[in-house]
Each structure stands twice: as C-alpha cells, then as structure tokens.
Amino acid sequence: MVPQGGNTGLCGGATPLADGAAVLISLARLNRIRAIDTDNDTLTVEAGCTLAAVQAAAAAAGRLFPLALASEGSCMIGGNLSTNAGGVQVLRYGNTRELVLGVEVVLPDGRIWDGLRGLRKDNTGYDLKQLFIGAEGTLGIVTAAVLKLFPAIRSRVTAWVAIPDPAAAVRLLGLLRANCGDRVSAFELVGRKALELVLQHIPGARDPLPGAPAWAVLVELSDPAADAPLGLQLEAALSAALEHGLASDAAVAVSEAQAQALWALRENISEAQRIEGISIKHDVSVPVSRIPDFLERAGGALVQRWPDVRVVVFGHIGDGNLHYNLSRPAGADNPAFISSTPEVNRIIHDLVAELGGSISAEHGLGQLKREEIARYKSSVEIDLMRAIKHALDPKGLMNPGKFLPGGIDGLEDGLEVAAPSGK
Ligand code: ZN
C-alpha cells in the first residue's frame, strides 16, 4: 500500500516500486477542514487538504499556520506530516514535527488510532504521533491532524544583504537574533551562481545589488503588531553589520511588490536550475556554526576533482540546511555528468557526516537515499528503526522499499528511482 498526496516529494517516497505489486491510496478526496478552535489555537484538518488550503483556513480565522514551501499550492498536509516538511520559516516556528499536536492514523492491521488531541502538555507515555511524522507512510496512513496556530503577521520587512562570505552570514544571523529575537522569521543564503541562474532564466528578475560579492542573504523580520518598528530595528542591525564588516551593502524593500520581487529571486532558484539543465542535488544540514567550514571544504574537494564544476548553493542557513547542487559543467554531456553522482555524493555526504550533519535535512529518504543512509546511521539506530517497523507493520504492507535500508519486506533488489525534480 503506497499512500499518495500531492506527488510533490523529491525522494520517491510516494512512488511505487517498479514491480507493479503496489496498491496506490490517494488521500486527495479526504480534504475537509474538520474543526477550528481559536481559543485553543488549533486547526483539525484531513490529510488531503493542500498546504495552501490549510494556510487559508488559518488566515480566515485571523491566525497563521506557518509551514510554507514552494509547492504549497499542490502538496498536501498528509504528505507534509509524512516527510516532516521544513521550508522557509523553520527558523522561527520549527519543522512540521513541531507544528502538530495530534494525528489520526489507519494502522497496517486496519485499526484506526484516533490521536486527534489538541494538547500542548500530555506526558502520558510514548509520544506516538511523532512515530508517524516523518515516517513516509511506512507505519500507517495519516488521515487527519490537529495543527498549531499562531498569531497572524501584520507587519513585515524584507531585505537583500550582500555579505563577504558564509562566515559573515552566520555572524549576521547571530547579531540579528540578539537584537530582534524571534522577529527574525527568514534568513536565506543565496550563492552568486544561484542568483546568476535566476537573473539569466527568469523573466523580470533583477539584481537588487549589481556588482555585489559572491554571497547574499534574504532577511525577513515580521511581527503580529501592525505598527511594529521593524524597519528601524533592521536598519540598526544592518548598520552594525556594515560597521563590523559582516555586510557590504543592503537593499531594503519599501513596498510589498519589492518584497515579493526579492522573495521571487530566492523561490525561483530551483526553476532556473531546471531550465539551465540537469543537476546533482543535495539536501544536507550541519550545525549552523559549521556551515562556513562545510562550504569551503566541499567546494575545494569538488573543484579539485572536477575543475569546471558549477556549485549552486542556497538554503535555510538559520536551520543549518543547505541545498547544495551541482549544475552540469558547460560542455559536459548529461550521461557522463550524471554517472558521477555516486562519487559526488560520497564526497559531500562523507563531509556532512564528519561535521555532525545529516544527508537529508528536509526532503526525507524515500527510495533515493534508502541505501545511502545505511552508511551514515549506526547499526543501533537502524536496529531501533527496524524494531519499530516490525512492531507496527510485521507483514511489511506499508510503503515497501522506502526508507529502511535493506528492508524487512524482501524488496532489497529491483529499485528503480526516477530522478527527482523541483526544490
Ligand atoms: Zn528547502
């Protein structure tokens, strides 16, 4: 049984194996908003609601549901839970895991677990809902969830800031958080090559700081109060940053349209990369403090091996999460480039592991990284994961061939994985 939502996943988690033996279960028609409780700040929704519909239901009640992703118009909340989706506001509000208070799940034996509690405090044993969040449908099918709501945002300021290097980005983030606290709602790193691809391929895209150095960050402060002095706060922080050499220039949006144009530069990177041609992608995380080290060492190792490599880097630096992608070198042919994927992965993933990071920060494992993870998780951790799978799904009925290396479901061989696209 392979549960499917919006089919926007990037690791083949909702794609059946090529053996044709799976039953697909679409959650798309299970799409009601079941309840909203504004005093409790909770929203109860069914798995097939698109993320945009969930956001809209929260907004209609004067609240914010903060999960935000490029695919929000088509991805579904059940899939967001099953992959523990991240996105651009994790810095302030956390991953999906932190936004869920309860779940309803159909178990592999056919029973339904009604765990739709709206409690922020509940210390009554194992926190079972967390087992199903990020499980990629391998333990059961999430059919509904109770989500946390937050105050609606009524003021916002957005800026594009040129920085000398990634180390400055980490220090600038620290400075902003020290001065503005949780008002820092986004802090996105954009490498120059990523920006150049957007300027080249996306109609209407304009460089906010022409001639700027190799790196920039997109910063956003936001607040529920309509008159929060965010512009002044940001200005003060940026002038301190300029003084300390953490930034060389900044463009602060003075209208909603300008803010949207800055966000479009960030959000169109994946699309621009797709237009440019084939790429080898990584979704990695390391502790924020080690990002500069990671970027320097990864870049160095790749250039040494492939002098013409084009590294396209962007990501959620406040969460330590980088999208570290290699665009095909000019002149190289696709098959030769793609055939180097295992070697590239080894360089990048081994370095990530050495720095205490993760080879899948927010996209999950699916089929794409199912065997790769065996190299990076300890046998103790794999054993614990298998024990949980055995306990809940002893017959291996749920989403076979995903997630667990080697598997318990006799499907070690014959995996066929389509190349992922998108963000
Ligand atoms: Zn991302």
Side-chain angles (χ1 to χ4, degrees), residues 48-292:
C49 291
T50 62
L51 176 53
V54 173
Q55 293 166 342
R63 298 290 188 275
L64 170 74
F65 181 64
L67 187 65
L69 325 169
S71 60
E72 61 200 21
S74 43
C75 68
M76 292 174 189
I77 195 72
N80 297 145
L81 263 70
S82 294
T83 55
N84 183 29
V88 293
Q89 300 206 83
V90 173
L91 176 63
R92 181 171 183 172
Y93 298 100
N95 289 296
T96 300
R97 207 177 271 295
E98 288 143 280
L99 301 174
V100 178
L101 295 176
V103 292
E104 177 187 82
V105 181
V106 179
L107 298 167
D109 65 9
R111 289 181 298 166
I112 296 173
W113 174 44
D114 178 355
L116 290 174
R117 301 182 193 110
L119 300 175
R120 285 168 178 79
K121 286 194 168 182
D122 178 17
N123 284 351
T124 54
Y126 298 133
D127 190 353
L128 294 176
K129 68 176 178 292
Q130 295 295 355
L131 275 184
F132 297 96
I133 301 172
E136 301 188 26
T138 59
L139 299 178
I141 300 179
V142 174
T143 48
V146 182
L147 307 173
K148 278 188 204 171
L149 298 178
F150 295 81
I153 292 300
R154 294 194 176 79
S155 53
R156 194 186 304 273
V157 61
T158 310
W160 190 270
V161 184
I163 54 168
D165 52 38
V170 172
R171 290 178 58 203
L172 176 59
L173 174 65
L175 185 140
L176 277 166
R177 295 201 69 165
N179 285 283
C180 312
D182 274 346
R183 281 175 165 170
V184 183
S185 49
F187 194 87
E188 297 284 307
L189 181 74
V190 180
R192 189 74 205 174
K193 283 205 178 70
L195 178 63
E196 278 167 6
L197 289 181
V198 173
L199 297 174
Q200 187 184 339
H201 293 298
I202 304 297
R206 285 179 41 202
D207 191 343
L209 299 170
W215 298 94
V217 286
L218 177 63
V219 178
E220 188 171 273
L221 305 185
S222 62
D223 196 273
D227 56 354
L230 300 180
L232 290 174
Q233 227 178 351
L234 182 63
E235 228 170 85
L238 287 179
S239 55
L242 289 165
E243 208 173 293
H244 291 102
L246 302 180
S248 56
D249 203 357
V252 181
V254 296
S255 67
E256 181 59 27
Q258 280 186 10
Q260 278 176 16
L262 294 180
W263 270 108
L265 295 174
R266 164 64 183 84
E267 284 167 352
N268 279 314
I269 295 171
S270 291
E271 175 65 7
Q273 264 205 296
R274 193 188 61 73
I275 296 168
E276 175 71 11
I278 202 156
S279 45
I280 300 173
K281 300 188 168 191
H282 305 94
D283 161 43
V284 299
S285 64
V286 293
V288 174
S289 51
R290 315 206 72 171
I291 285 175

Side-chain angles (χ1 to χ4, degrees), residues 86-88 188 266 283 314-316 321 323 362-363 423:
V88 293
E188 297 284 307
R266 164 64 183 84
D283 161 43
F314 59 100
H316 322 289
N321 178 191
H323 297 302
E362 62 175 2
H363 295 168
K423 319 303 172 286

